[in-house]
Amino acid sequence: MWGFLAALISGALMSIQGVFNTEVTKQSSLWVSTGWVQLSAFAVCVAAWLFTGRQSVSALWQVENKYTLLGGVIGAFITITVIQSMGALGPAKAAMLIVISQLIVAYLIELMGLFGVDKEPFEWRKVLGMLIAIAGIVIFKWQK
C-alpha cells in the first residue's frame, strides 16, 4: 500500500515541481533554474543525511555498476526537459506524455532485463494498456 501511495505523491509532486520550475525559468533562465533545483535538492539531501544517521558517503565508491551513479546527471536533464515540455505544452499535456514515456521505457527495461532488473515476459495486456493510455492522450489533446 505504501508503494501505491508513494507513487501517487511522486506524480503529484513532479507536476507541481514542473510548474514551479517553469515559472522560475521564465523569470531567470533555463540553466539558472535547473541549477537552483539541483542545488536546493542537494541541500535538502545533506540536511536529511545529517539528521537521519550519517551513513558513509564513501559507500558510493563501492557501488558495483558505476553507471548507476549517473542518476543525478539524468536528474538534471529530467529537470530541463520537464521545464521545456511544460512551457511548450502546458502542465497537463506535458505530464501525460511524460508518464506515457516513463511507462514505455520502464516496460522495455523489464522486458530486456536491463540495469539489473529482473527480466519479465512479454504480455499483450500491458501493451494494450499502453495503447489505451496513448489513446487517452489523443482524446485529451483533441480540439474542436
Side-chain angles (χ1 to χ4, degrees):
M1 184 62 175
W2 168 243
F4 187 79
L5 183 60
L8 291 174
I9 292 168
S10 174
L13 291 174
M14 287 172 67
S15 293
I16 294 166
Q17 180 196 36
V19 172
F20 285 10
N21 295 348
T22 301
E23 186 59 32
V24 172
T25 299
K26 288 178 187 175
Q27 298 178 42
S28 61
S29 73
L30 180 62
W31 294 110
V32 169
S33 175
T34 302
W36 172 251
V37 169
Q38 302 305 316
L39 181 64
S40 60
F42 178 71
V44 168
C45 290
V46 168
W49 176 78
L50 288 170
F51 290 106
T52 61
R54 298 184 191 180
Q55 295 81 3
S56 174
V57 175
S58 66
L60 288 173
W61 310 123
Q62 306 305 315
V63 171
E64 287 186 29
N65 296 316
K66 299 293 186 219
Y67 66 85
T68 59
L69 294 172
L70 294 173
V73 174
I74 293 170
F77 286 104
I78 290 168
T79 302
I80 292 164
T81 55
V82 168
I83 290 169
Q84 291 179 330
S85 66
M86 286 200 174
L89 302 173
K93 289 178 188 173
M96 285 193 313
L97 291 170
I98 290 166
V99 169
I100 291 299
S101 176
Q102 286 178 316
L103 183 60
I104 291 168
V105 171
Y107 188 53
L108 290 173
I109 289 170
E110 283 185 354
L111 281 177
M112 294 183 229
L114 299 175
F115 313 121
V117 172
D118 291 337
K119 193 171 184 176
E120 296 291 329
F122 177 84
E123 294 183 42
W124 277 107
R125 69 178 179 83
K126 291 182 179 180
V127 173
L128 180 62
M130 284 187 269
L131 291 173
I132 290 169
I134 292 168
I137 288 174
V138 171
I139 292 167
F140 189 88
K141 208 175 160 185
W142 194 338
Q143 297 177 359
K144 294 181 183 182

